[in-house]
Amino acid sequence: MGQSLSAMTVDHVRRPDRRDLARRFSHGEREFTSSPLYQRLSGIVAADDRLLAIAEHCRAGQQPTNLLFAAVHYLLLSGAGTPPPLAAWYPSLGGTRDPRDPALTSVFTDFCGTHEAALTALVASRLVQTNVVQRSAALRIGLAAIDEPGPVTLLEVGASGGIHLAFDAYRCRIGDIEIGPTGSPVRIRTEWRSPLPVPTRIPEIGDRLGIDLHPIDLTDPTERRWLRALVWPENLPQYELLRAAADLVAARSPRILVGDAATLLPQLDETLPTDRPLVVWHAATRVHVPQERRAAFDAAIGALGRRRRLYTVSLEAPDDTAQWYARYGISYALSVRAGAEPARRLAAADGHLTWIEPLPEPGAGT
Ligand SMILES: C[S@@+](CC[C@H](N)C(=O)[O-])C[C@H]1O[C@@H](n2cnc3c(N)ncnc32)[C@H](O)[C@@H]1O
């Protein structure tokens, strides 16, 4: 059901053309900051029309780079052509070969040629659903900027597998501060780039739920493999964290509704409590909403504030990405917004939340 609904909502908007795609892949160095393999593969794809033609099948709004590489990784993890020579470059599969090795070009293009149909089907049907456990630390910092005792309702838009809905079940070290259950099997660590104290007081969370175009069922091994495939091959600790969190969350069966935020939120408005504040959280989600639909996405969230006090906490690429990137060398901003007031930017952060840098004076902007 999730797949068909998402297809209905995004297929009518523009997909990237071949030239856009080549440009996007040529920026791989900047995108795949912790993956030398994907940095190298990006250059290989940017220069190869046949590989670009596979990536061209991705749905509008989706990042073709992440999607193509996740599709290849997924096939490798599924044992395609075992053991294919390509696996020798993937640390997630025990590979140790240097990505600068010239042989990689032909091995990668051969693999994609052999599996062209399977790759095309994955790229056309799957979504970038990377669930980054570490981003739960940003949710904590955002919640700490909300002056409410709670209980509040927590609604995650773009919840994927619902990993962040259990954020307070994880032991979280931010700078020198440790928060959360001491015995948690999920342990997050984020560098705090500031002499300012880490804010720790957050509202009590009442009920919690998520929505997603295609909620990931963490009890389903195929779905879990797709989540795993989305983790860049070198990021083994990130994958171990995801595995631990996925085990914990699967046992809790989080409530995640299927649908596009722009159309589902107005229906949900009828059922969400009106006697307690609502906190909407979205991370790395708006960036996947096609440009043409972002105003509707924002408006659907904003309209939830008509019947209750609303706060929006987001970790997204800001609209002035180029300036933000020039200033911080990174594309994510943590913002908080009360009702219809202008959003306040709280911090710059690495997309995988290895570090967060609070702004001394929170500035306007999402
Ligand atoms: C990159 S993942 C991020 C997941 C999670 N927020 C995190 O940070 O770990 C983006 C998620 O947003 C979902 N998504 C994208 N557009 C959406 C929309 N219009 N409505 C609901 N979910 C959406 C995708 O299906 C995907 O699961």
Side-chain angles (χ1 to χ4, degrees), residues 128-132 135 156 158 164 212-213 259-261 283-285 288:
V128 179
Q129 300 209 261
T130 325
N131 224 170
V132 180
R135 290 185 189 137
E156 178 169 13
H164 299 165
D212 202 285
L213 288 173
D260 183 331
T285 293
H288 297 283

Side-chain angles (χ1 to χ4, degrees), residues 6 9-10 61-63 66 127-136 156-164 211-216 227 230 242 257-265 281-290 293 297 315-316 332 351:
S6 56
T9 53
V10 299
Q62 293 295 299
Q63 289 167 340
N66 267 303
L127 300 171
V128 179
Q129 300 209 261
T130 325
N131 224 170
V132 180
V133 187
Q134 292 260 128
R135 290 185 189 137
S136 296
E156 178 169 13
V157 175
S160 186
I163 297 281
H164 299 165
I211 71 171
D212 202 285
L213 288 173
H214 174 76
I216 295 275
L227 271 198
L230 284 160
L242 175 65
L257 308 177
V258 59
D260 183 331
T263 46
L264 191 57
L265 290 179
W281 157 246
H282 57 89
T285 293
R286 187 175 182 272
V287 71
H288 297 283
V289 176
R293 296 184 59 86
F297 177 90
L315 179 74
E316 299 284 352
Y332 280 83

Side-chain angles (χ1 to χ4, degrees), residues 193 318 321-333 345-350 355-361 363:
R193 292 190 171 172
T321 305
Q323 287 151 283
W324 188 256
Y325 190 87
R327 165 80 181 77
Y328 293 103
I330 212 74
S331 311
Y332 280 83
R345 265 181 204 164
L346 300 177
D350 152 48
W355 58 264
I356 184 161
E357 181 176 334
L359 308 188
E361 293 292 329

Side-chain angles (χ1 to χ4, degrees), residues 243-290:
R243 190 163 60 161
D247 287 345
L248 185 151
V249 174
R252 295 181 165 209
S253 311
R255 185 172 164 230
I256 306 178
L257 308 177
V258 59
D260 183 331
T263 46
L264 191 57
L265 290 179
Q267 299 162 33
L268 202 57
D269 189 23
E270 302 291 319
T271 60
L272 288 169
T274 51
D275 59 351
R276 57 173 58 172
L278 171 68
V279 178
V280 173
W281 157 246
H282 57 89
T285 293
R286 187 175 182 272
V287 71
H288 297 283
V289 176

Side-chain angles (χ1 to χ4, degrees), residues 49 105 109 234 272-273:
D49 231 36
T105 305
T109 47
E234 294 89 339
L272 288 169

Side-chain angles (χ1 to χ4, degrees), residues 80-252:
T82 39
L86 183 57
W89 274 273
Y90 281 70
S92 51
L93 291 150
T96 53
R97 285 187 76 166
D98 188 332
R100 290 167 299 187
D101 185 337
L104 177 58
T105 305
S106 59
V107 172
F108 183 73
T109 47
D110 285 355
F111 182 88
C112 292
T114 306
H115 299 285
E116 188 172 341
L119 288 173
T120 303
L122 284 167
V123 165
S125 63
R126 289 285 184 173
L127 300 171
V128 179
Q129 300 209 261
T130 325
N131 224 170
V132 180
V133 187
Q134 292 260 128
R135 290 185 189 137
S136 296
L139 173 56
R140 272 197 175 275
I141 300 296
L143 284 169
I146 293 175
D147 190 14
E148 293 278 357
V152 300
T153 302
L154 177 63
L155 167 63
E156 178 169 13
V157 175
S160 186
I163 297 281
H164 299 165
L165 290 171
F167 76 98
D168 46 358
Y170 311 148
R171 185 75 173 162
C172 186
R173 185 179 178 117
I174 307 176
D176 292 334
I177 301 291
E178 290 222 17
I179 325 160
T182 46
S184 175
V186 183
R187 308 184 87 77
I188 293 173
R189 197 186 186 113
T190 295
E191 183 193 345
W192 178 254
R193 292 190 171 172
S194 171
L196 295 169
V198 179
T200 53
R201 264 222 352 232
I202 62 170
E204 182 195 337
I205 308 295
D207 33 1
R208 45 188 101 195
L209 79 162
I211 71 171
D212 202 285
L213 288 173
H214 174 76
I216 295 275
D217 176 359
L218 294 172
T219 62
D220 178 336
T222 308
E223 298 274 275
R224 289 258 295 238
R225 190 180 306 144
W226 179 248
L227 271 198
R228 183 184 179 192
L230 284 160
V231 179
W232 305 344
E234 294 89 339
N235 293 347
L236 301 180
Q238 188 178 322
Y239 170 62
E240 285 310 321
L241 199 56
L242 175 65
R243 190 163 60 161
D247 287 345
L248 185 151
V249 174
R252 295 181 165 209

